[in-house]
Amino acid sequence: MTNVKFEAVVGDITDQTVDAIVNAANTSLLGGGGVDGAIHRVGGPEILAACQELRATSLPLGLRTGSAVATTAGFLRASSVIHAVGPVYSKTEDRSGLLAGAYIDALRVAGELGVRTIAFPAISAGAFGWPLENAAEIAVSAVRAAAPQVPTLRLVRFVLMSPRARLAFTTALDEAARV
């Protein structure tokens, strides 16, 4: 493992001073609720304009679930926003590969950008209904596996909306560190 530090904090992802903030985006890239809406509101119109440009050019059908793409960060205290689309949770279909893929592809994009510090939300664990503890396990496993592919990376911060979510991610990080 590289010398990447992993941490889980309770906070507002739009307040993070990092190289890249990951947005739990929807496939349209045109804003939404939760983390996505907050990033668009705080980051300002430059983020939406960049997303609209992507939709008008390279992503006319939107961003596929499990994929990521970067835009400007607008007024956020970051250089970039990496929009990652997680799946809606399903009790009848295993979509965990798509959830892991969203984190892995976000780190691929981070590597292309030379990111040293990155902040992730709990992708799919809000409005998309993914059970929190399982979302944390998938996120931590995927990020720990993909982080060594980003040689510039030094800090991965999971920024969570509640103490319960922080506990789920801290537990997953502790368990992964023991393996």
Side-chain angles (χ1 to χ4, degrees), residues 40-119:
H40 277 269
R41 277 191 306 279
V42 176
E46 292 87 354
I47 296 173
L48 180 58
C51 288
Q52 289 170 330
E53 177 66 19
L54 286 168
R55 289 298 307 272
T57 58
S58 60
L59 296 169
L61 301 177
L63 187 61
R64 287 180 305 114
T65 302
S67 298
V69 66
T71 66
T72 181
F75 298 118
L76 296 169
R77 288 184 253 158
S79 301
S80 302
V81 171
I82 299 173
H83 305 268
V85 180
V88 173
Y89 179 72
S90 171
K91 290 181 180 180
T92 59
E93 180 184 348
D94 181 7
R95 298 178 179 169
S96 57
L98 289 170
L99 181 55
Y103 286 96
I104 292 166
D105 208 42
L107 284 175
R108 177 193 59 78
V109 172
E112 292 173 357
L113 297 171
V115 165
R116 293 177 53 81
T117 57
I118 190 167

Side-chain angles (χ1 to χ4, degrees), residues 124-179:
S124 291
F128 284 7
W130 207 284
L132 185 56
E133 287 74 16
N134 186 247
E137 292 169 10
I138 292 167
V140 167
S141 177
V143 169
R144 285 183 61 88
Q149 306 306 312
V150 185
T152 56
L153 192 62
R154 296 295 170 259
L155 172 68
V156 172
R157 179 179 298 144
F158 293 100
V159 182
L160 307 155
M161 310 255 317
S162 70
R164 177 176 170 254
R166 181 184 179 277
L167 178 60
F169 275 77
T170 300
T171 300
L173 285 166
D174 290 346
E175 289 175 5
R178 283 192 284 267
V179 174

